[in-house]
Amino acid sequence: MNLFENLKKNNIITNPGAKNRWEIIEEMAELAVKNKDIPIEDAESIKKALIEREKSMSTGIGNGIAIPHCSTSKVSNIVTVMALVPKGLNFEAIDNEPVKIVILLVVPKDKLSQHIKTLANIAKVMNNAELREKLLELKTADTILKTLKHYSL
């Protein structure tokens, strides 16, 4: 599954209020709850799983990208939320650079191979420096989705 197929317009944050990686994970998870992608009664356990995963090892993969993720039996489809943070956040990324594009994934426990394929696809698509620069210049979810679709083909 590629990033574009799974990302909904209302799950894109172009002006997050978060000041650190913990706050951005919280903000992104809250948006997924608000958009009914994560059941409200499971919000806390999913946020805790995302934070525990992040504490075990940073999801900052380099090139200004982080992919906080977890698997849970509380969702039936992959939930994807994207946040663009032009000023950057410290994610303790492998290259020690600030993270400017955060892609949060919550994946059903029974879809492990899909989880791995989705992570690999995101890493591949986001390896494109031109795409990363372009995304950070965009201001609307529509233009972000259009750009992702163009680069995901």
Side-chain angles (χ1 to χ4, degrees), residues 19-31:
K19 304 282 187 267
N20 59 52
R21 66 179 164 162
W22 313 113
E23 289 179 10
I24 196 74
I25 291 170
E26 175 93 17
E27 187 173 340
M28 295 171 83
E30 285 296 325
L31 181 62

Side-chain angles (χ1 to χ4, degrees), residues 3-4 14 27 29 39 43-44 48 58 60 64 71-72 77 80 82 85 88 90 96 99-100 105 120 127 134 140:
L3 172 61
F4 172 73
T14 55
E27 187 173 340
E44 290 308 312
K48 184 177 179 193
S58 173
S71 60
T72 177
N77 295 304
T80 307
M82 174 183 266
V85 190
N90 179 3
N96 292 315
V99 165
K100 297 181 177 185
L105 294 175
N127 197 36
K134 192 167 281 199
T140 69

Side-chain angles (χ1 to χ4, degrees), residues 121-135:
N121 173 265
I122 291 169
K124 180 181 171 194
V125 170
M126 288 297 153
N127 197 36
N128 184 318
E130 182 182 318
L131 170 61
R132 293 191 310 269
E133 288 172 28
K134 192 167 281 199
L135 285 173

Side-chain angles (χ1 to χ4, degrees), residues 1 6 36-39 42 46 71-79 106-111 114:
M1 168 157 304
N6 206 40
K36 299 184 178 8
D37 292 314
I38 293 175
D42 299 317
I46 290 173
S71 60
T72 177
S73 58
K74 307 293 185 186
V75 296
S76 53
N77 295 304
I78 294 179
V79 176
V106 179
V107 183
K109 269 217 189 300
D110 62 349
K111 295 188 179 171
Q114 192 177 2

Side-chain angles (χ1 to χ4, degrees), residues 3 61-67 82-87 95 97-103 121-139 143-144 147-148 150-152:
L3 172 61
I61 62 170
N63 292 322
I65 307 295
I67 313 173
M82 174 183 266
L84 301 177
V85 190
K87 66 183 183 285
D95 60 1
E97 293 296 318
V99 165
K100 297 181 177 185
I101 300 171
V102 184
I103 302 165
N121 173 265
I122 291 169
K124 180 181 171 194
V125 170
M126 288 297 153
N127 197 36
N128 184 318
E130 182 182 318
L131 170 61
R132 293 191 310 269
E133 288 172 28
K134 192 167 281 199
L135 285 173
L136 291 168
E137 295 169 2
L138 301 174
K139 303 294 182 216
T143 56
I144 291 164
T147 302
L148 283 171
H150 174 76
Y151 282 89
S152 296

